[in-house]
PDB file of all heavy atoms in Angstrom:
ATOM      1  N   ALA A 165      51.781 160.843 103.328  1.00 79.00           N
ATOM      2  CA  ALA A 165      53.075 160.753 104.010  1.00 79.00           C
ATOM      3  C   ALA A 165      53.969 161.924 103.608  1.00 79.00           C
ATOM      4  O   ALA A 165      54.664 162.496 104.446  1.00 79.00           O
ATOM      5  CB  ALA A 165      53.753 159.425 103.685  1.00 79.00           C
ATOM      6  N   SER A 166      53.935 162.296 102.332  1.00 75.00           N
ATOM      7  CA  SER A 166      54.734 163.437 101.861  1.00 75.00           C
ATOM      8  C   SER A 166      54.269 164.733 102.504  1.00 75.00           C
ATOM      9  O   SER A 166      55.084 165.554 102.930  1.00 75.00           O
ATOM     10  CB  SER A 166      54.625 163.579 100.341  1.00 75.00           C
ATOM     11  OG  SER A 166      55.101 162.434  99.701  1.00 75.00           O
ATOM     12  N   LEU A 167      52.973 164.913 102.572  1.00 77.00           N
ATOM     13  CA  LEU A 167      52.414 166.117 103.177  1.00 77.00           C
ATOM     14  C   LEU A 167      52.796 166.207 104.654  1.00 77.00           C
ATOM     15  O   LEU A 167      53.225 167.257 105.134  1.00 77.00           O
ATOM     16  CB  LEU A 167      50.892 166.122 103.016  1.00 77.00           C
ATOM     17  CG  LEU A 167      50.152 167.336 103.547  1.00 77.00           C
ATOM     18  CD1 LEU A 167      50.533 168.574 102.741  1.00 77.00           C
ATOM     19  CD2 LEU A 167      48.653 167.100 103.449  1.00 77.00           C
ATOM     20  N   LEU A 168      52.664 165.109 105.371  1.00 76.00           N
ATOM     21  CA  LEU A 168      53.019 165.094 106.794  1.00 76.00           C
ATOM     22  C   LEU A 168      54.513 165.321 106.995  1.00 76.00           C
ATOM     23  O   LEU A 168      54.919 166.033 107.915  1.00 76.00           O
ATOM     24  CB  LEU A 168      52.583 163.785 107.440  1.00 76.00           C
ATOM     25  CG  LEU A 168      51.070 163.602 107.574  1.00 76.00           C
ATOM     26  CD1 LEU A 168      50.749 162.182 108.020  1.00 76.00           C
ATOM     27  CD2 LEU A 168      50.486 164.615 108.529  1.00 76.00           C
ATOM     28  N   ALA A 169      55.328 164.752 106.135  1.00 72.00           N
ATOM     29  CA  ALA A 169      56.774 164.948 106.242  1.00 72.00           C
ATOM     30  C   ALA A 169      57.121 166.414 105.992  1.00 72.00           C
ATOM     31  O   ALA A 169      57.985 166.976 106.668  1.00 72.00           O
ATOM     32  CB  ALA A 169      57.510 164.055 105.247  1.00 72.00           C
ATOM     33  N   ALA A 170      56.448 167.037 105.045  1.00 69.00           N
ATOM     34  CA  ALA A 170      56.706 168.447 104.757  1.00 69.00           C
ATOM     35  C   ALA A 170      56.327 169.336 105.933  1.00 69.00           C
ATOM     36  O   ALA A 170      56.930 170.375 106.157  1.00 69.00           O
ATOM     37  CB  ALA A 170      55.925 168.876 103.510  1.00 69.00           C
ATOM     38  N   MET A 171      55.342 168.898 106.723  1.00 69.00           N
ATOM     39  CA  MET A 171      54.924 169.665 107.894  1.00 69.00           C
ATOM     40  C   MET A 171      55.763 169.321 109.123  1.00 69.00           C
ATOM     41  O   MET A 171      55.562 169.884 110.181  1.00 69.00           O
ATOM     42  CB  MET A 171      53.446 169.402 108.191  1.00 69.00           C
ATOM     43  CG  MET A 171      52.544 169.924 107.106  1.00 69.00           C
ATOM     44  SD  MET A 171      50.758 169.772 107.386  1.00 69.00           S
ATOM     45  CE  MET A 171      50.534 168.449 108.474  1.00 69.00           C
ATOM     46  N   GLY A 172      56.690 168.373 108.985  1.00 66.00           N
ATOM     47  CA  GLY A 172      57.562 168.015 110.096  1.00 66.00           C
ATOM     48  C   GLY A 172      56.974 166.996 111.040  1.00 66.00           C
ATOM     49  O   GLY A 172      57.469 166.801 112.146  1.00 66.00           O
ATOM     50  N   VAL A 173      55.919 166.310 110.616  1.00 69.00           N
ATOM     51  CA  VAL A 173      55.244 165.351 111.494  1.00 69.00           C
ATOM     52  C   VAL A 173      55.958 164.006 111.510  1.00 69.00           C
ATOM     53  O   VAL A 173      55.862 163.270 112.474  1.00 69.00           O
ATOM     54  CB  VAL A 173      53.761 165.182 111.071  1.00 69.00           C
ATOM     55  CG1 VAL A 173      53.065 164.121 111.879  1.00 69.00           C
ATOM     56  CG2 VAL A 173      53.040 166.507 111.188  1.00 69.00           C
ATOM     57  N   GLY A 174      56.673 163.666 110.492  1.00 69.00           N
ATOM     58  CA  GLY A 174      57.329 162.367 110.432  1.00 69.00           C
ATOM     59  C   GLY A 174      56.576 161.414 109.532  1.00 69.00           C
ATOM     60  O   GLY A 174      56.238 160.301 109.927  1.00 69.00           O
ATOM     61  N   GLY A 175      56.286 161.853 108.340  1.00 68.00           N
ATOM     62  CA  GLY A 175      55.532 161.037 107.401  1.00 68.00           C
ATOM     63  C   GLY A 175      56.230 159.753 107.014  1.00 68.00           C
ATOM     64  O   GLY A 175      55.585 158.766 106.672  1.00 68.00           O
ATOM     65  N   GLY A 176      57.569 159.735 107.084  1.00 72.00           N
ATOM     66  CA  GLY A 176      58.303 158.523 106.737  1.00 72.00           C
ATOM     67  C   GLY A 176      57.986 157.379 107.667  1.00 72.00           C
ATOM     68  O   GLY A 176      57.844 156.228 107.246  1.00 72.00           O
ATOM     69  N   GLY A 177      57.876 157.667 108.947  1.00 79.00           N
ATOM     70  CA  GLY A 177      57.499 156.628 109.918  1.00 79.00           C
ATOM     71  C   GLY A 177      56.118 156.090 109.626  1.00 79.00           C
ATOM     72  O   GLY A 177      55.868 154.880 109.708  1.00 79.00           O
TER      73      GLY A 177
END
Side-chain angles (χ1 to χ4, degrees):
S166 299
L167 182 66
L168 291 171
M171 294 184 335
V173 175

